Amino acid sequence: MSSDKTGDTPTGSTLWGGRFSESTDAFVQAFTASVTFDKRLYAYDIAGSIAHARMLAKVGVLTTDECNAIVAGLTDIRAEIERGEFNWSVALEDVHMNIEARLTERIGVAGKKLHTGRSRNDQVATDIRLYLRDEIDIISAELRRLQTGLLDLAEREADSIMPGFTRLQVAMPVTFGHHMLAWFENLQRDHSRLRDLRTRMNSMPLGAAALAGTTYPIDRAYTAELLGFDAPAENSLDAVSDRDFAIEFCAFAAILMTHLSRFSEELILWTSAQFGFIDLPDRFCTGSSIMPQKKNPDVPELVRGKTGRVNGHLIALLTLMKAQPLAYNKDNQEDKEPLFDAIDTVKGSLRVFADMMPAVQPRRERMREAALAGFSTATDLADYLVRKGMAFRDAHEIVGKAVKRGIELGKDLSQLPLEELQKFSPAISADVFAVLTLEGSVAARNHLGGTAPAQVRAAITRARTRLAGG
Ligand code: ARG
């Protein structure tokens, strides 16, 4: 098929057509355009342009009148976009040229001076940073909301006993509060990763002027200050070409989603008839179109599933960046959709988790029964024998035999009569039952990081102080 041509003149409606003698193929125009997705960056593009114009006026490249006209024009355009009245054009390729063309349409020749001493390479690298910085702050706040909900839940359930598992086999009793605090710690590291990344990415690309810097007497520190960057980027080639901050965000997001997927998996198991450890309120579940009895844990299932797409975005960005020569390459236009989707997915997942977790209803009796069923205090009996002077390996062997007897009789260790227990070791006396109870077992793990209710309460107090510290 012959090429479709766009525009009436070779230069068409583009802002770069001077050296071209035919207009872009219609499909190529659509194929290379990014406006359908990068228009999301409009507010940051406008903020970057306003700061650039102010800096150009400060150093005398623009007159004050020109600068004022640009600032007023861009402010009106922002309002136009927000009213849904802006006419986005694929022929103008991306968010940057759409806004710039509209500015010139509105204010005339001053609009054509805005692009002095800058490039779209600088603009896009700046816009994404500004956008991501705001999204990081929103995500930080959602993470904190979820963490606070977990602390409240942990506090309510500091004494509730459930089986702790290793390899999904009952291992030792733990408190539900302690279990929630484990997820709190996961999220605490995620939060700290996010804050580190925010600091690292907060340097300003503007002034790179495509790649080498510009011949105008620009004041990059001033622009950086206007935009809330910590400093201008040190190297112009680096400033426009690397997307490591987007990769880092996706790495943060993939780790966070991996944590949430594990958490989800537990919630899904715990709502099943076999576990029955918790109830999820109906508003977080759906039913089955065929099986009337069903209540499905959609929210944790979907969050578990969405982990896959975020992991995919991380790999997409790493692969996009791999082996790119300096400086900017058009490949980098492909950074946006994975990044945007990772942001949307993380925000949605955190929001729904933060809404749902405070509403989780633990079924204390059920959890207690499950902890009793799996010989979860066997290690306590071994430790008891060690305290009576036995070597741990011998104690382990003896308790193993007692468990075998319990299985035969269908009874937990705490339900075996004293005489029965004494057949395994004369060192066992009536005080053994204090350590064989679930409450005795958890209360005995009374050190920093342990599951004892007193330790859980102390950990919650420390956690609240850590949160208050930022
Ligand atoms: N839409 C482009 C992107 O997202 C903007 C930068 C284009 N730069 C260029 N030299 N064509 O990467």
Side-chain angles (χ1 to χ4, degrees):
M1 248 188 60
S2 68
S3 293
D4 282 330
K5 301 293 182 344
T6 63
D8 304 323
T9 64
T11 58
S13 54
T14 66
L15 302 186
W16 41 251
R19 60 100 69 215
F20 284 76
S21 46
E22 64 172 350
S23 52
T24 317
D25 177 271
F27 182 70
V28 170
Q29 186 177 76
F31 186 76
T32 54
S34 55
V35 67
T36 49
F37 50 87
D38 69 13
K39 62 184 177 191
R40 181 192 282 234
L41 300 171
Y42 78 88
Y44 304 99
D45 197 67
I46 289 173
S49 288
I50 289 178
H52 179 66
R54 292 214 153 104
M55 181 279 290
L56 290 180
K58 178 171 182 269
V59 300
V61 171
L62 290 179
T63 66
T64 307
D65 285 349
E66 286 165 341
C67 174
N68 289 343
I70 287 171
V71 172
L74 288 170
T75 307
D76 289 344
I77 290 171
R78 185 168 49 212
E80 216 169 81
I81 295 170
E82 278 159 12
R83 286 196 306 270
E85 287 166 9
F86 191 90
N87 186 17
W88 296 103
S89 154
V90 171
L92 286 164
E93 205 173 311
D94 54 30
V95 61
H96 324 293
M97 291 200 293
N98 266 269
I99 291 175
E100 191 194 322
R102 179 73 183 126
L103 181 68
T104 300
E105 202 173 276
R106 289 184 69 112
I107 69 167
V109 71
K112 293 190 184 178
K113 296 190 176 183
L114 171 62
H115 212 54
T116 313
R118 78 169 186 186
S119 147
R120 279 185 291 149
N121 299 352
D122 323 7
Q123 281 182 274
V124 71
T126 305
D127 295 359
I128 307 173
R129 280 176 173 81
L130 289 172
Y131 160 76
L132 183 56
R133 205 173 70 182
D134 274 2
E135 294 294 339
I136 284 176
D137 291 342
I138 295 169
I139 291 167
S140 266
E142 278 302 71
L143 254 171
R144 286 314 199 203
R145 191 162 73 87
L146 171 55
Q147 287 186 284
T148 305
L150 289 178
L151 291 183
D152 295 343
L153 182 59
E155 195 153 40
R156 286 199 295 281
E157 307 296 335
D159 297 294
S160 310
I161 293 178
M162 65 180 284
F165 299 91
T166 58
R167 306 160 72 184
L168 210 54
Q169 310 292 316
V170 169
M172 291 181 194
V174 294
T175 52
F176 190 85
H178 194 57
H179 198 115
M180 291 302 112
L181 290 183
W183 291 123
F184 172 92
E185 289 300 327
N186 277 245
L187 299 174
Q188 182 71 3
R189 288 190 298 278
D190 290 328
H191 188 267
S192 130
R193 259 185 285 278
L194 189 61
R195 301 316 295 181
D196 287 352
L197 144 69
R198 191 191 190 286
T199 309
R200 223 176 346 270
M201 67 174 273
N202 200 26
S203 71
M204 186 197 68
L206 286 174
L211 74 161
T214 179
T215 54
Y216 301 98
I218 56 173
D219 181 349
R220 298 185 66 218
Y222 180 66
T223 324
E225 191 192 316
L226 290 179
L227 291 170
F229 283 109
D230 294 332
E234 279 287 335
N235 181 287
S236 61
L237 292 165
D238 171 57
V240 284
S241 60
D242 207 350
R243 297 291 183 265
D244 58 351
F245 61 94
I247 297 173
E248 227 181 308
F249 176 83
C250 284
F252 148 82
I255 297 173
L256 168 71
M257 291 301 293
T258 299
H259 287 154
L260 292 183
S261 79
R262 301 182 63 195
F263 200 172
S264 295
E265 173 77 4
E266 293 197 333
L267 296 177
I268 294 161
L269 286 172
W270 292 353
T271 53
S272 70
Q274 288 68 27
F275 277 80
F277 287 5
I278 56 166
D279 274 325
L280 285 181
D282 287 358
R283 64 184 184 281
F284 295 101
C285 301
T286 64
S288 156
S289 55
I290 173 170
M291 295 164 282
Q293 86 285 7
K294 286 206 70 184
K295 175 169 154 182
N296 292 317
D298 283 48
V299 165
E301 287 180 283
L302 270 175
V303 169
R304 187 177 59 180
K306 284 175 189 290
T307 308
R309 65 201 276 169
V310 174
N311 289 354
H313 296 327
L314 172 60
I315 298 300
L317 290 190
L318 283 166
T319 312
L320 169 67
M321 204 74 245
K322 178 183 177 293
Q324 272 194 46
L326 293 178
Y328 174 85
N329 299 286
K330 183 79 166 182
D331 311 41
N332 286 340
Q333 183 163 292
E334 287 289 308
D335 64 354
K336 283 167 223 38
E337 288 160 295
L339 178 66
F340 293 168
D341 189 70
I343 290 171
D344 293 345
T345 306
V346 159
K347 275 205 301 194
S349 303
L350 282 174
R351 177 182 167 169
V352 77
F353 249 79
D355 289 347
M356 181 178 68
M357 285 317 294
V360 164
Q361 300 284 345
R363 296 172 64 193
R364 294 175 188 150
E365 270 317 301
R366 215 12 241 132
M367 293 193 296
R368 204 173 184 289
E369 272 164 36
L372 278 175
F375 297 97
S376 63
T377 58
T379 311
D380 295 83
L381 181 55
D383 290 344
Y384 169 89
L385 291 171
V386 167
R387 283 196 297 278
K388 300 271 171 164
M390 198 177 286
F392 182 76
R393 272 291 152 244
D394 295 332
H396 188 288
E397 173 76 16
I398 284 172
V399 177
K401 289 189 169 129
V403 166
K404 194 165 173 234
R405 183 73 185 135
I407 293 169
E408 281 160 18
L409 297 174
K411 291 198 157 120
D412 183 55
L413 293 178
S414 63
Q415 295 164 330
L416 294 178
L418 182 59
E419 310 77 68
E420 189 71 43
L421 286 169
Q422 282 172 332
K423 287 186 194 156
F424 299 98
S425 167
I428 296 177
S429 52
D431 61 353
V432 74
F433 293 105
V435 308
L436 287 182
T437 62
L438 298 175
E439 284 71 17
S441 171
V442 294
R445 285 162 174 78
N446 190 20
H447 53 77
L448 194 142
T451 196
Q455 290 298 334
V456 169
R457 292 199 171 85
I460 292 168
T461 306
R462 286 194 304 275
R464 292 202 197 280
T465 312
R466 284 153 79 201
L467 287 190

